[in-house]
Amino acid sequence: MIPRTTTPLDKARAATSGMSLERGTILILGRPHGLTRRRLEDLVGEAGGRIAARANGQVTHVVLAHGTARLFLHDGTRLKLPRGVPVAAKRLSELAFKRALGLAAAPAPEP
């Protein structure tokens, strides 16, 4: 048997403890810093998911980009989901999303 090579994306997925984007439909609120829409589509596709063009009932993950957080946070703590997005959709910060894609390092272990 040929041993499987571990890629940086595999390591990042393991570090995000179950934050799999595979077969997920991701709605991105705002624009994550340093990433074009095309690059996001490529990265999410490589992870096995797809990006939703608009809010709908098939959305499984909602990503809140840092620059637009104040527009979507109700009373500073709760995320107001766009109409049509299931309440059960997982909420991700921009940083958690980047970690799931292998673009940001996993958090350092606490001492």
Side-chain angles (χ1 to χ4, degrees):
M1 216 169 134
I2 299 172
R4 183 170 183 261
T5 306
T6 303
T7 66
L9 182 57
D10 293 332
K11 290 177 185 176
R13 284 184 185 152
T16 56
S17 63
M19 192 57 68
S20 174
L21 301 177
E22 192 170 348
R23 292 190 303 271
T25 301
I26 293 89
L27 176 65
I28 301 173
L29 303 176
R31 183 175 179 267
H33 180 74
L35 295 168
T36 64
R37 178 78 176 188
R38 181 167 175 95
R39 179 73 176 135
L40 284 168
E41 288 172 351
D42 290 345
L43 290 167
V44 170
E46 288 173 18
R50 67 181 191 88
I51 294 180
R54 62 184 59 88
N56 63 56
Q58 296 177 350
V59 170
T60 58
H61 298 75
V62 177
V63 176
L64 182 61
H66 295 159
T68 57
R70 66 181 176 83
L71 299 174
F72 290 96
L73 290 176
H74 175 68
D75 73 22
T77 58
R78 293 182 316 223
L79 177 63
K80 291 187 292 187
L81 291 175
R83 191 176 308 215
V85 174
V87 175
K90 293 178 182 157
R91 287 116 170 125
L92 294 154
S93 68
E94 179 176 333
L95 182 56
F97 179 58
K98 286 182 175 181
R99 284 179 177 149
L101 293 174
L103 298 176
E110 292 187 28

